[in-house]
Amino acid sequence: MEVINTNWTQTVWRSGYTTVVSGVKQQSERSPGGDSVTISEEGRQAAMAAEMEKSGLSHEAAAKLTSGKLTINVPDDFKLPTLKAQADSSIYRETYFKALATNLNEIRKEVEAYYAPEYNMLQGMDDTKAMDYLFKTYMMPYMEDVFVPGTPLPSAPKGMSQAEARMAYNQLKGMRFGHGPALADRYALGEEGMKRLKTVENRAKQTAQEALDATQKEVDARQEAFNTQREEKFRQTIAGINSGAVSGTCMGYIALRKDKEASE
């Protein structure tokens, strides 16, 4: 099979000037339409240089890079640009509300436990009888100014003060009829319990911040590992270009372009 070689040239437009790309066209007489083109090394370098210049490289840098005469020096302290990854902020919100609900529920259980013996007295009573019991037990002992003098009144329950009895009346009524007890009950919680109630929101915020910080630490560790691998791959690519293992033409340029795109 006879092969005919034909020299060819093509003008390539660049910014502000033109250059000529040359090559050799091989054609087989037995295979019409089966032409193949082999571009000379000079032509391949010129075409690649033109592509590089479209991306912003200077003519001089593109010519050196495509000819393999450009050595890329990377300082030891060079770091590829990267954005700091942030932990999902929803972790803070979810943890805060969960901690807040948990803390408030613990305090509610303390209040309910304090009134549990009195609350058990209401079991088995209908609503009318339960209200009558609560009124006579916790309200009537302190209402001598309402009734006719000499009217016998029940004794104060367990030596409670009027304020304490009124709190018990409201708390038991709330527990009996569904909306639950109030949490700000100094009789049920005592001084320490009231302090915990006042700091419940701050404690929930602290728990949420600790969870967010822990997650951010994990994110930072993963990003550091990724950046280390990325830096190593980048330096290997540069070393390959400088040594010739990766040609200083299209392969080296494509490697640089891909790493640049990945960093963006």
Side-chain angles (χ1 to χ4, degrees):
M1 179 177 62
E2 184 178 359
V3 177
I4 300 175
N5 295 329
T6 304
N7 294 327
W8 62 274
T9 61
Q10 179 178 350
T11 300
V12 178
W13 287 91
R14 298 179 177 170
S15 55
Y17 62 93
T18 62
T19 189
V20 176
V21 178
S22 63
V24 177
K25 179 179 181 181
Q26 296 182 341
Q27 181 176 6
S28 171
E29 288 187 341
R30 294 184 178 182
S31 305
D35 298 350
S36 63
V37 176
T38 301
I39 302 176
S40 68
E41 180 62 22
E42 292 79 6
R44 182 162 52 250
Q45 292 179 6
M48 195 63 202
E51 179 65 21
M52 292 178 182
E53 290 177 42
K54 292 179 182 179
S55 299
L57 284 179
S58 68
H59 171 62
E60 293 76 10
K64 289 182 179 180
L65 183 59
T66 55
S67 65
K69 297 177 181 179
L70 179 65
T71 298
I72 303 174
N73 295 315
V74 182
D76 292 337
D77 59 351
F78 173 78
K79 296 293 182 182
L80 290 173
T82 184
L83 294 176
K84 181 176 175 58
Q86 298 293 332
D88 187 353
S89 60
S90 65
I91 294 172
Y92 181 96
R93 183 174 61 255
E94 294 171 359
T95 305
Y96 168 77
F97 285 115
K98 183 177 181 179
L100 184 63
T102 299
N103 294 340
L104 291 175
N105 191 49
E106 289 175 354
I107 293 174
R108 179 183 60 80
K109 288 181 178 180
E110 287 186 35
V111 175
E112 291 178 341
Y114 179 80
Y115 290 105
E118 289 80 8
Y119 181 71
N120 289 334
M121 297 294 296
L122 302 177
Q123 303 307 308
M125 299 181 185
D126 59 29
D127 291 348
T128 301
K129 190 173 182 179
M131 280 301 303
D132 183 65
Y133 172 82
L134 291 175
F135 180 78
K136 289 181 178 179
T137 303
Y138 299 101
M139 300 296 286
M140 281 187 66
Y142 309 96
M143 300 179 66
E144 60 273 359
D145 57 337
V146 175
F147 292 90
V148 175
T151 302
L153 298 175
S155 301
K158 298 181 181 180
M160 289 182 177
S161 66
Q162 185 175 0
E164 186 176 2
R166 182 175 292 275
M167 174 64 78
Y169 172 80
N170 291 329
Q171 295 288 60
L172 291 166
K173 185 171 67 172
M175 293 169 63
R176 176 64 171 80
F177 294 101
H179 58 74
L183 300 184
D185 185 336
R186 63 188 181 90
Y187 302 105
L189 297 178
E191 184 177 349
E192 289 300 318
M194 290 300 292
K195 287 181 180 179
R196 285 189 289 109
L197 178 61
K198 290 178 181 179
T199 61
V200 66
E201 185 174 1
N202 289 336
R203 289 187 288 120
K205 288 180 179 179
Q206 181 179 352
T207 301
Q209 188 62 53
E210 290 173 354
L212 182 61
D213 291 344
T215 302
Q216 183 64 56
K217 188 175 181 180
E218 294 175 359
V219 171
D220 291 343
R222 290 196 297 269
Q223 185 178 36
E224 182 64 24
F226 170 77
N227 288 343
T228 299
Q229 294 176 358
R230 185 164 163 259
E231 288 279 351
E232 181 62 25
K233 183 177 180 181
F234 171 76
R235 292 180 182 278
Q236 288 176 357
T237 300
I238 297 301
I241 293 174
N242 290 340
S243 67
V246 178
S247 72
T249 56
C250 61
M251 288 304 295
Y253 179 66
I254 290 173
L256 290 174
R257 284 283 299 275
K258 285 185 176 181
D259 193 83
K260 179 182 178 183
E261 292 169 359
S263 67
E264 295 174 348

